[in-house]
Amino acid sequence: MQDMQGVQPEQPVSNTRRTQLEQSERRTEAAQEMEDSELGRRLQMLRGMQWVFGANGDPYARLLCGMEDDPSPFYDAIRTLGELHRSRTGAWVTADPGLGGRILADRRLGARRLVAGAGETDGLEQYVLPGHQAFLRLEREEAERLREVAAPVLGAAAVDAWRPLIDEVCAGLAKGLPDTFDLVEEYAGLVPVEVLARIWGVPEEDRARFGRDCRALAPALDSLLCPQQLALSKDMASALEDLRLLFDGLDATPRLAGPADGDGTAVAMLTVLLCTEPVTTAIGNTVLGLLPGQWPVPCTGRVAAGQVAGQALHRAVSYRIATRFAREDLELAGCEVKSGDEVVVLAGAIGRNGPPAAAPPAPPSPGAPPAPSVFGAAAFENALAEPLVRAVTGAALHALAERAPRLTAAGPVVRRRRSPVVGGLHRAPVAAA
């Protein structure tokens, strides 16, 4: 008989203790319900303010609501209000290329709201994506530092080394497409997820979990300016926490250059936020813009496809709306901007200056360099991921052109609502033959 000396038998939970545990669980559930109720109330409050301002003739507020497929009428209306004007939302807004570039490069303007006497705060944004603003509101210095840290994995030279892997992923996904498929769900949305899973070494058994988290985070960039539904906001917060745990376990730190504690997880999470939805949207918008008359001619060569991808990102950048907050009182375009004021650059409008918004991208001339980002060197928001975004978008377009040269639309295109920043796609049925 096994010697049980010194082993204490398991004690049954007393009725009193069981009651205490049940009461504790009920208190926790009640506290969560109160927290959810408060979050929902604030989301509704912000949403209501945007609707009211928009209904009373404010084009920027209407733009923030994110309910129209084509934002061009709001861009046009904002241009008529002058080089810089103050929206009823309180933000200073510009669609002027010159002023927009100066604002984005001005170090007197930061990424986070400044409240007098309280230091930095995320203001109302904390209720949109609670607890995770550090990954989405990086200040310039931190963004630039992380870009240098991530260079061995995400810099231009590193991305060139990833191209065989990227081509393999895109070709494999394109080859497996049926004759009729959804461009977003079955191709464009899968490409960046699979590429990132391969780059960061996500184990096969965690791929489904990783894909679910990436899909849950589709509204993340939009959520900074456009309140999402309560359920989506909670799902995003849960997905970010799950990704943090996943990437903590994978530990990308040894692959980076001079990282600080936690940089590996931060960089990996940023690639998900800055690549997944922007790449999906850039692929979808480019293909849809070329159908039916121009597809696949501009994307039949690797170099040409890369140029088209650069053009697509120029016309509909990852951040169609870029926000800054004044660190001090300053003058912009003859307007007195006070410390703490929000200043908005409509990069999407700047990207559409020139050709009509509805016009498809023109095929690039042979040997033409990639179109520059609207943001240029001042785009610290997405600079860390920009080489990878361009490379993946170009490779995906090329692979799809080879697989489906006779691609046609097969149903109505549905865009995500409440998506003023990314302009995300929800569904786009197409037929390969």
Side-chain angles (χ1 to χ4, degrees), residues 30-166:
Q32 184 62 53
E33 288 177 1
M34 289 179 63
E35 183 178 323
D36 291 348
S37 176
E38 177 65 8
L39 174 59
R41 185 186 69 81
R42 291 181 179 273
L43 290 171
Q44 289 180 337
M45 178 188 71
L46 290 170
R47 182 72 171 167
M49 289 170 58
Q50 290 175 351
W51 272 111
V52 169
F53 292 142
N56 283 279
D58 189 306
Y60 176 62
R62 286 285 304 276
L63 187 65
L64 290 181
C65 289
M67 296 304 292
E68 284 79 11
D69 288 347
D70 183 6
S72 299
F74 304 126
Y75 292 157
D76 294 340
I78 287 167
R79 288 191 186 99
T80 66
L81 297 175
E83 190 177 11
L84 182 70
H85 82 280
R86 192 157 201 181
S87 160
R88 295 183 186 182
T89 66
W92 295 94
V93 183
T94 185
D96 181 82
L99 179 59
R102 293 195 297 275
I103 288 170
L104 294 176
D106 196 327
R107 291 184 177 268
R108 297 173 298 174
L109 296 156
R112 294 191 178 191
R113 192 183 302 271
L114 186 67
V115 176
E120 287 191 357
T121 177
D122 295 317
L124 292 176
E125 291 94 343
Q126 64 183 299
Y127 303 112
V128 181
L129 194 58
H132 297 281
Q133 292 299 304
F135 289 109
L136 293 170
R137 287 290 194 194
L138 290 177
E139 289 292 0
R140 183 189 308 272
E141 293 75 17
E142 181 65 2
E144 291 173 348
R145 186 189 71 80
L146 284 178
R147 185 184 184 188
E148 294 179 2
V149 165
V153 181
L154 300 174
V159 169
D160 282 341
W162 289 120
R163 287 185 185 276
L165 180 150
I166 295 169

Side-chain angles (χ1 to χ4, degrees), residues 46 85 93 97 101 156 163 166 185 193 216 220 271 278 280 292 303 335 385 389 398:
L46 290 170
H85 82 280
V93 183
R163 287 185 185 276
I166 295 169
E185 293 184 0
V193 173
T271 60
T280 300
V303 174
C335 300
V389 168
H398 174 67

Side-chain angles (χ1 to χ4, degrees), residues 155-386:
V159 169
D160 282 341
W162 289 120
R163 287 185 185 276
L165 180 150
I166 295 169
D167 289 341
E168 177 187 338
V169 168
C170 294
L173 289 171
K175 184 178 180 181
L177 289 170
D179 288 340
T180 301
F181 60 96
D182 189 283
L183 178 62
V184 180
E185 293 184 0
E186 296 179 73
Y187 186 65
L190 300 181
V191 166
V193 173
E194 182 62 23
V195 168
L196 290 174
R198 297 277 294 275
I199 286 177
W200 295 119
V202 176
E204 196 66 40
E205 60 269 23
D206 288 324
R207 294 287 177 87
R209 163 193 174 188
F210 180 67
R212 286 193 299 270
D213 288 340
C214 290
R215 287 191 294 274
L217 288 167
L221 297 177
D222 293 298
S223 72
L224 293 174
L225 291 176
C226 179
Q228 305 295 303
Q229 294 176 329
L230 176 61
L232 288 180
S233 295
K234 292 176 62 179
D235 287 346
M236 284 189 288
S238 296
L240 277 172
E241 180 60 20
D242 192 49
L243 276 182
R244 185 187 66 79
L245 294 172
L246 174 63
F247 285 133
D248 277 350
L250 297 177
D251 191 12
T253 303
R255 301 167 60 187
L256 306 180
D261 185 42
D263 279 355
T265 295
V267 168
M269 290 178 70
L270 278 168
T271 60
V272 171
L273 295 166
L274 298 176
C275 289
T276 307
E277 191 67 4
V279 167
T280 300
T281 304
I283 296 170
N285 282 341
T286 302
V287 174
L288 296 173
L290 292 170
L291 294 179
Q294 291 183 280
W295 178 264
V297 175
C299 302
T300 50
R302 293 178 186 275
V303 174
Q307 292 169 345
V308 171
Q311 191 176 59
L313 294 167
H314 173 75
R315 291 171 59 85
V317 290
S318 304
Y319 281 80
R320 299 196 306 190
I321 305 175
T323 56
R324 297 287 187 267
F325 297 95
R327 296 299 191 201
E328 59 187 71
D329 294 348
L330 65 152
E331 184 271 334
L332 293 172
C335 300
E336 297 297 326
V337 177
K338 300 296 184 182
S339 177
D341 282 357
E342 181 180 8
V343 184
V344 172
V345 177
L346 297 181
I350 293 170
R352 293 180 181 227
N353 278 347
S365 59
S373 165
V374 170
F375 287 111
F380 64 82
E381 287 100 330
N382 56 351
L384 178 145
E386 187 171 1

